[in-house]
Amino acid sequence: MSQWSQVQQLEIKFLEQVDQFYDDNFPMEIRHLLAQWIESQDWEAASNNEAMAMILLQNLLIQVDEQLDRVSQEKNLLLIHNLKRIRKLLQGKYHGNPMHIAVIISNCLREERRILAAASMPVQGPLEKSLQNSVVSERQRNVEHKVSAIKNSAQMTDQDVKYLEDLQEEFDFRYKTIQSLEQSDKNSALIKQEMLALQAMLNTLDYKRKEVLSKIGRVIHEIDVLMSNMLTEELLDWKRRQQIACIGGPLHGGLDQLQNCFTLLAESLFQVRRQLEKLDELLTRLTYDGDPIPVQRPQLLEKVNFLLYNLFRNSFVVERQPCMPTHPQRPMVLKTLIQFTVKLRLLIKLPELNYQIRVKCNVLHSNRRFVLCGTHVKAMNMDESANGSLSVEFRHLQPKEMKSSAGSKGNEGPHMVTEELHSISFETQVCLYGLTINLETSSLPVVMISNVSQLPNAWASIIWYNLSTNDPQNLSFFNNPPAATLSQLLEVLSWQFSSYVGRGLNSEQLNMLAEKLMVSYNDYQLSWAKFCKEHLPGKSFTFWVWLEAILDLIKKHILPLWIDGYVMGFVSKEKERILLKDKTPGTFLLRFSESNLGGITFTWVDQLENGEVTFHSVEPYNKGRLAALPFADILRDYKVIMADNVPENPLKYLYPDIPKDKAFGKHYSCQPNEVSKPSDGGVKGYVPSVFIPVSKILNDSTDPHSPSDLLPMSPSVYAVLREHLSPTVIETALSSPYSTD
């Protein structure tokens, strides 16, 4: 079943998450129509290879054309129209930057895998539960409702101001008419009656002025309360969700809703400001003793301007945190002289501001000093974003370290660089309707590295920071890093697997990691040093280095097996024996090595003639050996040589009872019966060959088991040997090179 087919079977709450990351940058119609083809391409590799990305983009457009031909024959007018529009959009948007669509599709596929993994997990962790709190959702609805009500109130007040203006014009006309009469005419009874009517009209004007000012005051108060409480909390919650998403958590959404709220409030405040200007205009034409306008208007205008300043300052946000395109799943880790991207948005979307706001970026320093190379001043606009938001994306920035004349770099410890936090700051100025507002914001803390070997520890720092604090700018955090709650840390570790390799960890796997850290659930807290700085007992590496090596192993060598759920992985030697001891001989499981970085091994259960249960584990396979032979092929072809026996494959059932070929058959590079015989073709003059993994196990149980080795013997040669030699002779010939160490 394709990944997209699995996505379509999810519950509605997960489908809503999927819906959030499909837009005009990569329309869902294309994802649906080309599901199989899209999933068969290596978009992640293309995101770092422009030539490959261009080929994939061209092939994508060809696929769209083929779909257009198909739907044209079916005369599906709506789909024809949409596909033509999408093709034009893709061609125009990505022709000059094909790697951008590769990044987008790669991210979408990864998010789908993360959501599928989350859906398969029986229990949500504490962090994810807090992000999906029903109280938060209720507040979001309340904010949207109140913003809409405020907008309506401001519009109704507009009508009151218009009525007041009409009333004053009538008063002004009638008053000037009386003033133009001769003095003798003013003493007539009719004129005296008109004067009484004018006095009544003036009283009405006074009442309406007070009423309008009161309504304006209420609108301002409602905006003030909303901004000070619910809207501020909404913005802080969005920033927290962004922090969690950056370290592998659920995709954060809600920025478009916040933009709608900020924009409506800004429009309402500017509308109120115009109403106050209109009142000032009316004041110049008519005033009187006790007039409320000169008393109340200045205070109200000052409050409106204050709210506008605060609203604009809060609306300037980092929409997408700094990230190197070469490492899209490791945001906020930046390497010197390597390009990174970052995107900002102004949540107040007003047409008057399009291309009028120029943003400048700099680096906030810690101990080391950096400058940004590349275009670091750009104008915000509504044209580059698919949803028309007022934003700017810096795509070609490179951090460059300013060398210190004191040469202190040589005194840095191994963790000093990866624990030193910096920040990318942004500043701009908004000039609108006579207001000038200076805006500033900053990225979340970033780690600057000079060598890619520093990336694992740098990423550990990013994880620990964003897990432990809501503070967006604590650059001295690692001077005294706080302990982390174990349950939250384990949840984040599971996210590393779901976001990076497409499948999270279950409770049993997480329990093993807790044991590895020598922390029980009752201890609750884990120190930064124990996570990333102290070596594991008896080992030459830390817990995090061990875990990162496993992630790298999965990503590069056993990803399909991991996604299928066939790699138990995190299970101790003691636990694996408990699981296997009552199983059918030949039952095996796959686990990650605890002593070798980036190693995977398999253990199977066997039974001696006397009924004694034995266990055999092979020497862990590392990335060097797996680069020569796919792991699924190793499991298929693996042989052991028992004393007095011919080589045979002991692996029959994947734990608990899945036939090996059923579990791994689709991942074999070729079927055994497809292997060439010596007479078959190949490279001219040579017999085709493959590597066959072979181990020798001695009957003497006191001897240590020999490690698995890779024996370079072609299947065709082995077949010839079987035809001409007895099994005993073959066993004797093979046993010598594989004696125990």
Side-chain angles (χ1 to χ4, degrees), residues 447-462:
V447 176
M448 301 285 194
I449 62 175
S450 55
N451 192 297
V452 75
S453 64
Q454 298 168 327
L455 195 147
N457 281 335
W459 180 239
S461 297
I462 295 298

Side-chain angles (χ1 to χ4, degrees), residues 4-196:
W4 184 246
S5 298
Q6 296 177 55
V7 167
Q8 290 176 289
Q9 296 177 9
L10 291 172
E11 297 179 25
I12 186 66
K13 64 178 182 179
F14 295 109
L15 290 175
E16 289 174 352
Q17 294 181 40
V18 174
D19 182 61
Q20 289 179 7
F21 54 83
Y22 281 105
D23 52 27
D24 280 349
N25 284 322
F26 181 39
M28 190 180 286
E29 295 97 321
I30 297 300
R31 178 69 181 96
H32 179 77
L33 291 171
L34 304 179
Q36 295 277 6
W37 181 83
I38 286 170
E39 291 171 29
S40 66
Q41 311 304 310
D42 193 347
W43 298 100
E44 186 166 348
S47 65
N48 300 314
N49 185 320
E50 186 165 3
M52 183 179 179
M54 179 58 75
I55 292 172
L56 280 182
L57 175 59
Q58 291 171 350
N59 289 340
L60 175 62
L61 295 174
I62 290 172
Q63 292 287 328
V64 174
D65 287 338
E66 291 177 357
Q67 290 295 323
L68 258 173
D69 291 340
R70 180 182 63 79
V71 299
S72 296
Q73 294 174 5
E74 297 173 359
K75 298 182 179 180
N76 188 331
L77 184 60
L78 180 60
L79 194 53
I80 292 171
H81 172 79
N82 286 340
L83 284 177
K84 285 183 177 180
R85 179 185 62 82
I86 291 170
R87 193 198 187 288
K88 184 177 180 181
L89 183 147
L90 295 175
Q91 175 77 28
K93 185 181 285 287
Y94 301 115
H95 180 72
N97 187 12
M99 288 195 295
H100 190 44
I101 190 172
V103 170
I104 291 172
I105 297 179
S106 176
N107 289 342
C108 288
L109 294 175
R110 185 178 70 251
E111 275 302 315
E112 287 179 8
R113 291 195 297 270
R114 188 199 63 75
I115 292 171
L116 286 169
S120 66
M121 294 293 108
V123 180
Q124 286 181 324
L127 281 171
E128 189 160 355
K129 282 183 179 178
S130 69
L131 296 176
Q132 298 179 1
N133 191 317
S134 60
V135 174
V136 174
S137 299
E138 183 64 26
R139 189 182 64 231
Q140 290 173 345
R141 289 190 289 270
N142 285 340
V143 168
E144 292 176 2
H145 174 75
K146 287 183 178 295
V147 167
S148 179
I150 288 171
K151 182 67 174 175
N152 289 335
S153 296
Q155 290 174 341
M156 293 297 292
T157 306
D158 249 4
Q159 298 178 19
D160 291 328
V161 172
K162 184 67 171 66
Y163 173 78
L164 182 60
E165 184 180 13
D166 293 341
L167 185 63
Q168 183 167 318
E169 285 182 356
E170 182 182 354
F171 175 86
D172 189 52
F173 175 77
R174 294 173 67 174
Y175 180 76
K176 288 180 178 179
T177 300
I178 292 177
Q179 288 294 101
S180 65
L181 296 176
E182 296 293 336
Q183 185 62 38
S184 58
D185 296 334
K186 292 180 180 180
N187 295 326
S188 67
L190 184 60
I191 295 303
K192 289 181 179 179
Q193 185 177 353
E194 180 66 12
M195 291 294 291
L196 291 174

